Amino acid sequence: MISTYDTPAQKPNPVDDTTFTRPLVKALQQQTEQLAGTIAGPDAHRIASAWVYTTVLAAWCEDHALIPAWLRAEAEPARKHHLDAGGTLLGWLGRACASLTTHQSTACLLDPRYNPITQAAPSEDGARALIRWWSHEAPDLAYSAGKGPSSLTGWLAGDLLQLVADERRKANALCQTPWWICDFLLDRTLVPAIETWPQDLLRVIDPACGTGHLLVWALIGLYRWYRSNGPNHPALPPDAAIRRALAGLHGVELDPLTAAVARLRLTVTAGALLAGDNALPTPLRLHQIPADLRPQIAVGNALLAGQGDPCPPGTLLDDTHHYPRILQRGTYHAVVANPPYITVKDPQTREAIRAAYPGVCTGKFSLSVPFAVLVFDLAIRGGHTATAPAEDGQ
């Protein structure tokens, strides 16, 4: 199994414990509603949810000492000094969000193409209420995990994106994969791929990666493999192992903010793996993770990108040179996905997908159908594939 933890579980992992997650989600939704009331315009709720969720990421990083204290109680003296010097709490909140961008791969978190918080700001009272909640009421996002993903993987932070607001869940069918399902899928793809091609640079992709659950699990598994010693497979030093793992690991996600979260999580996971092998100083700081460790997670529609040309211009949000050979058919040793199971509402996109997959997209079709074709097309001959089934069984 990819997940291996020596600490016995004294209590449920918080990602599985509804007594922890439900009150947190309810509180975050309340913060979103309150903040939306201080933002003008028809997109107030969408922008407010982005503000609240970006502070989730900041609090998660802060609780793990990845960034300086901004939102928690220990930051109160610095906040007071900021206010005494003529600053505002809205400005302080903006600085907390900006602290997430100290690594090259996470700069997108304040890119207006990814995150709508640059479109409008809440009021000073709204910022004050949100900071007060994080400072005095919100639970710690660093916790002892026992069985399952550690809090440093950002698993809970990834889950919260679909729960803070309904927009992504309804529009893009964002539905995060439980960690034990990730175990199941990777045990049947990554593990046999390692056994089949023990000397190759393994290419692994999730073409519907969400906030990166499967990719985080795959990165941990690949790093452990490259660090292990075996016949005709000498152990690599930590820096070489993590670079080799990232070189073959790809993800594609339609929603820009969701993809940005996946980039943040994989960057932190890569740094944590290095720090665990004493290749980076501890405590781990986001800005100290080597800037050229960049997860290859593209923003775009995986069903349409890569048709014909490996990466045609205009199909991905970022410059395509950042993702050499991404989505190239017949090149991946392992392909895993939890594809969306919704139908496409936009007629232009629906007809483009129908034209790209004419053999299966007839009549009314679920996106899980063309994704099933894509998963097989991406795999190398003899490659290993697995998907989580659609809810409707298609």
Side-chain angles (χ1 to χ4, degrees):
M1 295 174 62
I2 297 298
S3 61
T4 303
Y5 294 85
D6 297 328
T7 304
Q10 302 298 321
K11 58 183 180 180
N13 189 306
V15 300
D16 304 324
D17 185 0
T18 56
T19 64
F20 177 82
T21 57
R22 283 178 180 170
L24 174 58
V25 170
K26 182 177 180 180
L28 288 168
Q29 290 173 341
Q30 290 173 343
Q31 292 298 320
T32 298
E33 295 299 327
Q34 293 171 11
L35 205 66
T38 73
I39 298 175
D43 289 334
H45 191 274
R46 182 178 66 89
I47 295 171
S49 68
W51 272 101
V52 171
Y53 183 73
T54 305
T55 64
V56 169
L57 298 178
W60 168 66
C61 286
E62 183 178 330
D63 291 347
H64 290 90
L66 293 163
I67 61 174
W70 294 98
L71 300 175
R72 298 301 195 174
E74 54 267 33
E76 286 187 0
R79 282 198 295 268
K80 184 177 184 303
H81 178 76
H82 171 76
L83 293 173
D84 291 343
T88 65
L89 287 174
L90 179 58
W92 186 264
L93 192 65
R95 291 173 64 184
C97 296
S99 68
L100 294 168
T101 67
T102 56
H103 191 278
Q104 188 172 351
S105 68
T106 63
C108 56
L109 282 165
L110 285 190
D111 186 326
R113 300 175 302 166
Y114 287 77
N115 195 336
I117 66 172
T118 57
Q119 297 176 13
S123 68
E124 181 72 0
D125 286 342
R128 178 180 293 107
L130 182 57
I131 291 173
R132 183 187 302 117
W133 180 77
W134 279 115
S135 181
H136 299 295
E137 300 177 37
D140 199 325
L141 301 184
Y143 47 77
S144 176
K147 186 178 181 181
S150 73
S151 62
L152 192 53
T153 65
W155 209 276
L156 178 61
D159 281 347
L160 289 174
L161 180 59
Q162 76 184 56
L163 300 172
V164 170
D166 290 335
E167 288 93 342
R168 286 173 180 81
R169 181 176 56 82
K170 291 180 178 179
N172 299 330
L174 178 62
C175 183
Q176 303 296 346
T177 312
W179 64 267
W180 61 89
I181 299 296
C182 293
D183 263 355
F184 180 87
L185 296 176
L186 289 169
D187 280 351
R188 286 152 181 81
T189 52
L190 180 58
V191 172
I194 287 171
E195 295 170 348
T196 307
W197 296 281
Q199 298 183 46
D200 288 14
L201 189 158
L202 293 171
R203 283 173 55 82
V204 181
I205 189 170
D206 179 354
C209 71
T211 62
H213 282 359
L214 281 162
L215 294 177
V216 166
W217 238 219
L219 178 61
I220 294 170
L222 285 168
Y223 180 78
R224 288 175 177 171
W225 167 243
Y226 292 137
R227 289 284 291 137
S228 66
N229 208 355
N232 301 316
H233 176 69
L236 295 177
D239 185 70
I242 200 66
R243 291 179 187 280
R244 189 171 176 84
L246 287 171
L249 189 62
H250 289 166
V252 183
E253 168 54 40
L254 184 63
D255 178 65
L257 180 56
T258 305
V261 176
R263 291 177 189 170
L264 171 64
R265 292 180 58 201
L266 262 75
T267 301
V268 171
T269 299
L273 290 168
L274 290 175
D277 277 342
N278 300 314
L280 284 179
T282 55
L284 180 67
R285 309 294 190 193
L286 181 60
H287 72 277
Q288 292 179 334
I289 300 172
D292 59 344
L293 290 184
R294 297 188 62 182
Q296 298 183 79
I297 300 173
V299 179
N301 190 327
L303 293 171
L304 299 177
Q307 289 288 338
D309 184 274
C311 198
T315 53
L316 299 177
L317 181 60
D318 302 287
D319 292 335
T320 56
H321 72 269
H322 290 316
Y323 315 108
R325 298 177 63 211
I326 196 168
L327 287 170
Q328 187 170 342
R329 273 48 171 181
T331 66
Y332 290 94
H333 302 91
V335 186
V336 289
N338 182 2
Y341 49 83
I342 58 172
T343 57
V344 184
K345 294 182 174 60
D346 176 63
Q348 184 176 358
T349 303
R350 182 173 60 245
E351 293 311 308
I353 294 173
R354 192 190 305 278
Y357 302 88
V360 294
C361 293
T362 58
K364 184 178 180 181
F365 61 91
S366 166
L367 281 176
S368 61
V369 175
F371 263 104
V373 175
L374 175 65
V375 165
F376 284 113
D377 286 348
L378 289 170
I380 196 172
R381 182 181 295 274
H384 302 274
T385 64
T387 63
E391 285 190 353
D392 60 6
Q394 295 186 31

